[in-house]
Amino acid sequence: MTGMFATSKAGHDMGKLYIIIKENEEYVYLTDGRLKPVEAPKKKNKKHIQIIRKTDETIKFMIEEKKPISNEMIKRAIYEYEHKLV
């Protein structure tokens, strides 16, 4: 699931678009590069997100290779997805 886009289904951030940067059995860690930067991702229960079956390949590769991801990369990927540039 890492590298995939997801939207929040519950909470004050309902409908907000994020990228999953980490996961465990019950939770995912989401970032948008702005309010929830890579350094402090949002911890959210898996049942409270809607996964979008679209992955940013660059970010997925960076996560798999354990390379640092910048907030600018996250913001750019979300912008491109929202404006259908990918």
Side-chain angles (χ1 to χ4, degrees), residues 16 25 33 35 41 48:
K16 184 143 176 59
E25 289 184 23
L35 296 176
H48 293 155

Side-chain angles (χ1 to χ4, degrees), residues 9-45:
K9 293 194 306 186
H12 71 279
D13 62 341
M14 189 166 65
K16 184 143 176 59
L17 184 63
Y18 294 101
I19 293 181
I20 301 170
I21 60 167
K22 189 170 132 183
E23 70 173 306
N24 60 32
E25 289 184 23
E26 192 174 346
Y27 296 100
V28 291
Y29 295 84
L30 309 168
T31 181
D32 65 359
R34 293 181 197 277
L35 296 176
K36 289 298 174 186
V38 175
E39 302 80 26
K42 180 172 190 66
K43 180 180 175 183
K44 195 132 178 118
N45 193 307

Side-chain angles (χ1 to χ4, degrees), residues 1-5 52-60:
M1 264 200 288
T2 55
M4 286 188 169
F5 293 94
I52 299 168
R53 298 282 176 207
K54 180 77 177 155
T55 304
D56 185 282
E57 294 300 326
T58 304
I59 293 173
K60 183 177 180 177

Side-chain angles (χ1 to χ4, degrees), residues 5 17 54-56 75-86:
F5 293 94
L17 184 63
K54 180 77 177 155
T55 304
D56 185 282
K75 287 189 274 190
R76 179 174 291 125
I78 289 173
Y79 177 85
E80 288 174 356
Y81 177 80
E82 286 178 330
H83 292 88
K84 306 296 184 215
L85 301 175
V86 289

